[in-house]
Short mmCIF file of all heavy atoms in Angstrom, two decimals:
data_model
loop_
_atom_site.label_atom_id
_atom_site.label_comp_id
_atom_site.label_asym_id
_atom_site.label_seq_id
_atom_site.Cartn_x
_atom_site.Cartn_y
_atom_site.Cartn_z
N MET A 60 27.74 -15.28 13.61
CA MET A 60 26.34 -15.08 13.86
C MET A 60 25.97 -15.88 15.13
O MET A 60 26.24 -17.03 15.24
CB MET A 60 25.48 -15.61 12.69
CG MET A 60 25.74 -14.82 11.41
SD MET A 60 24.85 -13.27 11.35
CE MET A 60 24.95 -12.92 9.62
N CYS A 61 25.26 -15.27 16.04
CA CYS A 61 24.80 -15.98 17.18
C CYS A 61 23.30 -16.20 17.07
O CYS A 61 22.54 -15.28 16.83
CB CYS A 61 25.16 -15.25 18.47
SG CYS A 61 24.17 -13.80 18.77
N THR A 62 22.94 -17.41 17.16
CA THR A 62 21.54 -17.71 17.06
C THR A 62 21.00 -18.02 18.47
O THR A 62 21.57 -18.82 19.20
CB THR A 62 21.28 -18.92 16.16
OG1 THR A 62 22.29 -19.87 16.40
CG2 THR A 62 21.33 -18.51 14.71
N VAL A 63 19.90 -17.39 18.81
CA VAL A 63 19.35 -17.57 20.14
C VAL A 63 18.51 -18.82 20.18
O VAL A 63 18.18 -19.34 21.21
CB VAL A 63 18.55 -16.33 20.54
CG1 VAL A 63 18.14 -16.42 22.03
CG2 VAL A 63 19.32 -15.06 20.31
N GLY A 64 18.07 -19.21 18.96
CA GLY A 64 17.23 -20.41 18.91
C GLY A 64 15.77 -20.14 18.97
O GLY A 64 15.07 -20.70 19.75
N GLY A 65 15.33 -19.16 18.18
CA GLY A 65 13.91 -18.84 18.15
C GLY A 65 13.34 -19.20 16.77
O GLY A 65 14.01 -19.87 16.00
N PRO A 66 12.15 -18.68 16.52
CA PRO A 66 11.58 -18.85 15.20
C PRO A 66 12.38 -18.04 14.14
O PRO A 66 13.33 -17.35 14.47
CB PRO A 66 10.14 -18.31 15.35
CG PRO A 66 10.23 -17.44 16.58
CD PRO A 66 11.30 -18.03 17.46
N VAL A 67 11.96 -18.14 12.95
CA VAL A 67 12.66 -17.47 11.84
C VAL A 67 12.78 -15.97 12.15
O VAL A 67 11.83 -15.34 12.61
CB VAL A 67 11.94 -17.69 10.52
CG1 VAL A 67 12.73 -17.04 9.37
CG2 VAL A 67 11.73 -19.16 10.28
N ASP A 68 13.92 -15.41 11.87
CA ASP A 68 14.14 -14.03 12.15
C ASP A 68 13.51 -13.16 11.08
O ASP A 68 14.07 -13.00 10.01
CB ASP A 68 15.65 -13.77 12.22
CG ASP A 68 15.93 -12.39 12.77
OD1 ASP A 68 15.00 -11.70 13.12
OD2 ASP A 68 17.14 -12.02 12.86
N ILE A 69 12.34 -12.65 11.38
CA ILE A 69 11.63 -11.81 10.37
C ILE A 69 12.20 -10.42 10.33
O ILE A 69 12.21 -9.79 9.30
CB ILE A 69 10.10 -11.72 10.68
CG1 ILE A 69 9.59 -13.13 11.01
CG2 ILE A 69 9.36 -11.10 9.56
CD1 ILE A 69 8.18 -13.11 11.55
N GLU A 70 12.73 -10.00 11.44
CA GLU A 70 13.28 -8.65 11.54
C GLU A 70 14.35 -8.41 10.48
O GLU A 70 14.43 -7.33 9.91
CB GLU A 70 13.85 -8.44 12.92
CG GLU A 70 13.15 -7.34 13.70
CD GLU A 70 13.82 -7.17 15.02
OE1 GLU A 70 13.54 -7.92 15.95
OE2 GLU A 70 14.60 -6.24 15.12
N PHE A 71 15.10 -9.41 10.21
CA PHE A 71 16.18 -9.23 9.27
C PHE A 71 15.62 -8.94 7.86
O PHE A 71 16.11 -8.03 7.15
CB PHE A 71 17.03 -10.53 9.19
CG PHE A 71 18.19 -10.38 8.17
CD1 PHE A 71 19.34 -9.66 8.55
CD2 PHE A 71 18.12 -10.96 6.96
CE1 PHE A 71 20.37 -9.51 7.65
CE2 PHE A 71 19.16 -10.83 6.05
CZ PHE A 71 20.28 -10.14 6.40
N ASN A 72 14.57 -9.63 7.51
CA ASN A 72 13.98 -9.34 6.16
C ASN A 72 13.37 -7.96 6.10
O ASN A 72 13.44 -7.34 5.06
CB ASN A 72 12.88 -10.38 5.88
CG ASN A 72 13.48 -11.69 5.39
OD1 ASN A 72 14.55 -11.69 4.82
ND2 ASN A 72 12.83 -12.81 5.61
N GLU A 73 12.79 -7.51 7.17
CA GLU A 73 12.18 -6.19 7.15
C GLU A 73 13.21 -5.09 7.05
O GLU A 73 12.96 -4.02 6.49
CB GLU A 73 11.38 -5.99 8.45
CG GLU A 73 10.31 -7.08 8.62
CD GLU A 73 9.01 -6.48 9.07
OE1 GLU A 73 8.96 -5.28 9.27
OE2 GLU A 73 8.07 -7.27 9.22
N ARG A 74 14.40 -5.40 7.51
CA ARG A 74 15.43 -4.37 7.44
C ARG A 74 15.94 -4.18 6.01
O ARG A 74 16.49 -3.15 5.68
CB ARG A 74 16.62 -4.72 8.37
CG ARG A 74 16.37 -4.33 9.80
CD ARG A 74 17.50 -4.87 10.66
NE ARG A 74 18.81 -4.63 10.06
CZ ARG A 74 19.92 -5.28 10.43
NH1 ARG A 74 19.82 -6.22 11.28
NH2 ARG A 74 21.06 -4.99 9.84
N VAL A 75 15.75 -5.21 5.21
CA VAL A 75 16.22 -5.11 3.80
C VAL A 75 15.39 -4.17 3.00
O VAL A 75 15.82 -3.46 2.11
CB VAL A 75 16.27 -6.50 3.18
CG1 VAL A 75 16.79 -6.44 1.75
CG2 VAL A 75 17.17 -7.41 3.97
N LYS A 76 14.10 -4.15 3.31
CA LYS A 76 13.18 -3.26 2.63
C LYS A 76 13.41 -1.81 3.00
O LYS A 76 14.13 -1.49 3.94
CB LYS A 76 11.73 -3.63 2.94
CG LYS A 76 11.34 -4.99 2.51
CD LYS A 76 9.88 -5.17 2.85
CE LYS A 76 9.46 -6.62 2.81
NZ LYS A 76 8.09 -6.78 3.35
N GLY A 77 12.74 -0.94 2.29
CA GLY A 77 12.78 0.45 2.68
C GLY A 77 13.96 1.18 2.01
O GLY A 77 14.89 0.60 1.49
N LYS A 78 13.88 2.47 2.10
CA LYS A 78 14.94 3.34 1.52
C LYS A 78 15.69 4.01 2.65
O LYS A 78 15.20 4.16 3.78
CB LYS A 78 14.32 4.34 0.59
CG LYS A 78 13.67 3.70 -0.58
CD LYS A 78 12.93 4.78 -1.38
CE LYS A 78 12.24 4.15 -2.61
NZ LYS A 78 11.47 5.16 -3.34
N ASN A 79 16.86 4.49 2.31
CA ASN A 79 17.63 5.18 3.29
C ASN A 79 17.27 6.68 3.27
O ASN A 79 17.14 7.30 2.27
CB ASN A 79 19.12 5.03 2.96
CG ASN A 79 19.60 3.64 3.20
OD1 ASN A 79 19.45 3.13 4.30
ND2 ASN A 79 20.19 3.02 2.23
N TYR A 80 17.06 7.18 4.47
CA TYR A 80 16.73 8.58 4.62
C TYR A 80 17.68 9.23 5.61
O TYR A 80 18.29 8.57 6.47
CB TYR A 80 15.29 8.74 5.11
CG TYR A 80 14.25 8.28 4.12
CD1 TYR A 80 13.78 7.04 4.11
CD2 TYR A 80 13.77 9.22 3.19
CE1 TYR A 80 12.84 6.62 3.14
CE2 TYR A 80 12.82 8.83 2.26
CZ TYR A 80 12.33 7.53 2.26
OH TYR A 80 11.39 7.15 1.36
N ARG A 81 17.75 10.56 5.47
CA ARG A 81 18.51 11.25 6.44
C ARG A 81 17.67 12.44 6.92
O ARG A 81 17.02 13.15 6.14
CB ARG A 81 19.80 11.83 5.82
CG ARG A 81 20.69 12.54 6.77
CD ARG A 81 22.07 12.76 6.17
NE ARG A 81 21.96 13.70 5.03
CZ ARG A 81 22.05 15.02 5.09
NH1 ARG A 81 22.23 15.57 6.30
NH2 ARG A 81 21.94 15.77 4.04
N CYS A 82 17.70 12.65 8.19
CA CYS A 82 16.94 13.69 8.78
C CYS A 82 17.66 15.05 8.63
O CYS A 82 18.83 15.17 8.92
CB CYS A 82 16.70 13.41 10.25
SG CYS A 82 15.80 14.74 11.11
N LYS A 83 16.90 16.01 8.09
CA LYS A 83 17.57 17.35 7.91
C LYS A 83 17.67 18.10 9.19
O LYS A 83 18.36 19.08 9.29
CB LYS A 83 16.76 18.12 6.90
CG LYS A 83 16.86 17.57 5.46
CD LYS A 83 16.05 18.43 4.53
CE LYS A 83 16.15 17.91 3.10
NZ LYS A 83 15.33 18.72 2.16
N ASP A 84 16.93 17.68 10.18
CA ASP A 84 16.92 18.40 11.45
C ASP A 84 18.06 17.99 12.34
O ASP A 84 18.78 18.80 12.88
CB ASP A 84 15.59 18.24 12.14
CG ASP A 84 14.50 19.03 11.44
OD1 ASP A 84 14.87 19.93 10.67
OD2 ASP A 84 13.34 18.80 11.67
N CYS A 85 18.25 16.70 12.48
CA CYS A 85 19.24 16.22 13.46
C CYS A 85 20.34 15.36 12.78
O CYS A 85 21.29 15.02 13.44
CB CYS A 85 18.57 15.41 14.56
SG CYS A 85 17.99 13.84 14.04
N GLY A 86 20.18 15.12 11.48
CA GLY A 86 21.23 14.37 10.78
C GLY A 86 21.20 12.84 10.96
O GLY A 86 22.05 12.14 10.54
N GLU A 87 20.13 12.38 11.61
CA GLU A 87 19.96 10.94 11.86
C GLU A 87 19.73 10.21 10.55
O GLU A 87 18.98 10.69 9.67
CB GLU A 87 18.80 10.71 12.81
CG GLU A 87 18.46 9.27 12.99
CD GLU A 87 19.31 8.62 14.08
OE1 GLU A 87 20.13 9.35 14.69
OE2 GLU A 87 19.16 7.43 14.34
N ARG A 88 20.41 9.10 10.35
CA ARG A 88 20.17 8.25 9.18
C ARG A 88 19.35 7.06 9.58
O ARG A 88 19.63 6.46 10.60
CB ARG A 88 21.51 7.80 8.58
CG ARG A 88 22.30 8.90 7.95
CD ARG A 88 23.49 8.31 7.24
NE ARG A 88 24.35 9.35 6.64
CZ ARG A 88 25.37 9.13 5.85
NH1 ARG A 88 25.71 7.87 5.61
NH2 ARG A 88 26.10 10.10 5.35
N PHE A 89 18.41 6.73 8.73
CA PHE A 89 17.55 5.62 9.08
C PHE A 89 16.91 5.08 7.83
O PHE A 89 16.94 5.70 6.76
CB PHE A 89 16.46 6.02 10.06
CG PHE A 89 15.57 7.15 9.55
CD1 PHE A 89 14.31 6.82 8.96
CD2 PHE A 89 15.92 8.45 9.59
CE1 PHE A 89 13.51 7.78 8.49
CE2 PHE A 89 15.10 9.43 9.05
CZ PHE A 89 13.88 9.13 8.53
N LYS A 90 16.32 3.88 7.93
CA LYS A 90 15.59 3.32 6.84
C LYS A 90 14.11 3.61 7.07
O LYS A 90 13.58 3.32 8.13
CB LYS A 90 15.84 1.79 6.75
CG LYS A 90 17.17 1.49 6.19
CD LYS A 90 17.13 0.16 5.50
CE LYS A 90 18.47 -0.06 4.70
NZ LYS A 90 18.47 -1.32 4.01
N GLY A 91 13.52 4.18 6.04
CA GLY A 91 12.13 4.52 6.19
C GLY A 91 11.24 3.69 5.32
O GLY A 91 11.60 3.25 4.22
N LEU A 92 10.04 3.46 5.78
CA LEU A 92 9.05 2.75 5.01
C LEU A 92 7.88 3.63 4.79
O LEU A 92 7.55 4.52 5.59
CB LEU A 92 8.57 1.50 5.77
CG LEU A 92 9.64 0.40 5.98
CD1 LEU A 92 9.11 -0.64 6.94
CD2 LEU A 92 10.00 -0.26 4.65
N GLY A 93 7.24 3.45 3.63
CA GLY A 93 6.03 4.25 3.36
C GLY A 93 6.37 5.58 2.68
O GLY A 93 7.53 5.88 2.41
N LYS A 94 5.35 6.40 2.48
CA LYS A 94 5.53 7.62 1.78
C LYS A 94 6.02 8.76 2.62
O LYS A 94 6.63 9.67 2.18
CB LYS A 94 4.21 8.05 1.10
CG LYS A 94 3.79 7.14 -0.01
CD LYS A 94 2.49 7.57 -0.65
CE LYS A 94 2.05 6.62 -1.81
NZ LYS A 94 0.74 7.02 -2.31
N ARG A 95 5.71 8.65 3.91
CA ARG A 95 6.10 9.74 4.79
C ARG A 95 6.88 9.22 5.95
O ARG A 95 6.38 9.08 7.06
CB ARG A 95 4.85 10.47 5.28
CG ARG A 95 4.04 11.09 4.15
CD ARG A 95 2.99 11.97 4.66
NE ARG A 95 3.53 13.18 5.33
CZ ARG A 95 2.78 14.11 5.89
NH1 ARG A 95 1.45 14.03 5.87
NH2 ARG A 95 3.31 15.12 6.46
N PRO A 96 8.14 8.92 5.72
CA PRO A 96 9.00 8.39 6.79
C PRO A 96 9.26 9.48 7.84
O PRO A 96 9.26 10.68 7.50
CB PRO A 96 10.30 8.03 6.08
CG PRO A 96 10.30 8.86 4.88
CD PRO A 96 8.86 9.06 4.44
N MET A 97 9.40 9.04 9.03
CA MET A 97 9.65 9.99 10.10
C MET A 97 10.95 9.63 10.87
O MET A 97 11.29 8.45 11.00
CB MET A 97 8.44 9.84 11.08
CG MET A 97 8.43 10.88 12.13
SD MET A 97 7.03 10.75 13.29
CE MET A 97 5.73 11.36 12.27
N CYS A 98 11.65 10.63 11.21
CA CYS A 98 12.91 10.44 11.91
C CYS A 98 12.64 9.76 13.24
O CYS A 98 11.89 10.22 14.04
CB CYS A 98 13.60 11.78 12.09
SG CYS A 98 15.05 11.68 13.13
N PRO A 99 13.32 8.63 13.49
CA PRO A 99 13.12 7.91 14.75
C PRO A 99 13.76 8.64 15.93
O PRO A 99 13.47 8.38 17.07
CB PRO A 99 13.82 6.58 14.52
CG PRO A 99 14.86 6.88 13.49
CD PRO A 99 14.31 7.97 12.64
N SER A 100 14.63 9.60 15.66
CA SER A 100 15.34 10.27 16.68
C SER A 100 14.57 11.51 17.21
O SER A 100 14.38 11.69 18.40
CB SER A 100 16.69 10.69 16.19
OG SER A 100 17.43 11.36 17.20
N CYS A 101 14.08 12.33 16.27
CA CYS A 101 13.44 13.53 16.71
C CYS A 101 11.99 13.68 16.15
O CYS A 101 11.33 14.67 16.33
CB CYS A 101 14.23 14.75 16.27
SG CYS A 101 14.29 15.03 14.47
N GLN A 102 11.52 12.60 15.51
CA GLN A 102 10.10 12.56 15.01
C GLN A 102 9.82 13.60 13.97
O GLN A 102 8.72 13.98 13.77
CB GLN A 102 9.10 12.64 16.16
CG GLN A 102 8.82 11.31 16.84
CD GLN A 102 10.00 10.95 17.79
OE1 GLN A 102 10.42 11.75 18.58
NE2 GLN A 102 10.50 9.75 17.65
N SER A 103 10.86 14.09 13.33
CA SER A 103 10.67 15.11 12.32
C SER A 103 10.32 14.43 10.95
O SER A 103 10.85 13.34 10.67
CB SER A 103 11.92 15.95 12.17
OG SER A 103 11.82 16.79 11.01
N GLU A 104 9.53 15.10 10.17
CA GLU A 104 9.25 14.58 8.83
C GLU A 104 10.08 15.31 7.80
O GLU A 104 9.92 15.14 6.59
CB GLU A 104 7.75 14.71 8.49
CG GLU A 104 6.88 13.80 9.33
CD GLU A 104 5.45 13.89 8.88
OE1 GLU A 104 5.15 14.65 8.01
OE2 GLU A 104 4.61 13.16 9.52
N ASN A 105 10.93 16.15 8.27
CA ASN A 105 11.86 16.91 7.39
C ASN A 105 13.05 16.08 7.05
O ASN A 105 14.16 16.29 7.52
CB ASN A 105 12.25 18.20 8.07
CG ASN A 105 13.02 19.13 7.14
OD1 ASN A 105 12.99 18.97 5.92
ND2 ASN A 105 13.79 20.02 7.69
N VAL A 106 12.83 15.03 6.22
CA VAL A 106 13.89 14.10 5.87
C VAL A 106 14.09 14.08 4.36
O VAL A 106 13.21 14.43 3.58
CB VAL A 106 13.52 12.69 6.35
CG1 VAL A 106 13.36 12.71 7.87
CG2 VAL A 106 12.29 12.16 5.66
N GLU A 107 15.25 13.63 3.91
CA GLU A 107 15.55 13.48 2.51
C GLU A 107 16.05 12.09 2.24
O GLU A 107 16.67 11.46 3.05
CB GLU A 107 16.58 14.48 2.07
CG GLU A 107 17.93 14.33 2.72
CD GLU A 107 18.96 15.31 2.23
OE1 GLU A 107 18.60 16.03 1.28
OE2 GLU A 107 20.09 15.35 2.75
N GLU A 108 15.77 11.65 1.03
CA GLU A 108 16.22 10.30 0.64
C GLU A 108 17.70 10.36 0.26
O GLU A 108 18.16 11.33 -0.39
CB GLU A 108 15.38 9.84 -0.58
CG GLU A 108 15.47 8.36 -0.84
CD GLU A 108 14.59 7.97 -2.02
OE1 GLU A 108 13.51 8.53 -2.18
OE2 GLU A 108 15.00 7.08 -2.75
N ILE A 109 18.44 9.34 0.64
CA ILE A 109 19.83 9.32 0.34
C ILE A 109 20.21 8.03 -0.34
O ILE A 109 19.42 7.15 -0.37
CB ILE A 109 20.73 9.48 1.58
CG1 ILE A 109 20.40 8.42 2.64
CG2 ILE A 109 20.55 10.89 2.15
CD1 ILE A 109 21.29 8.47 3.82
ZN1 LIG B 134 15.78 13.86 13.29
#
């Protein structure tokens, strides 16, 4: 692990939350938060939980 020497890494904790989704349009896998996750790659809401 390389530490840059900043404040506590909050990003890491946020990554633990959320569910895994897969975009049906482009096949992108991502972690989504909320009820209507959106594909970060093509902005499609046509995603499924995996
Ligand atoms: Zn997509």
Side-chain angles (χ1 to χ4, degrees):
M60 296 279 196
C61 74
T62 41
V63 190
V67 183
D68 191 2
I69 312 171
E70 243 181 279
F71 181 77
N72 279 333
E73 302 224 359
R74 276 174 47 199
V75 179
K76 296 182 194 171
K78 295 174 181 176
N79 289 305
Y80 292 91
R81 184 169 63 90
C82 177
K83 290 182 180 178
D84 287 343
C85 72
E87 174 85 2
R88 289 187 183 186
F89 60 97
K90 283 208 171 180
L92 294 170
K94 291 180 180 176
R95 301 188 65 182
M97 189 181 283
C98 173
S100 181
C101 69
Q102 277 75 50
S103 170
E104 291 185 0
N105 187 20
V106 300
E107 64 177 354
E108 197 177 324
I109 57 175

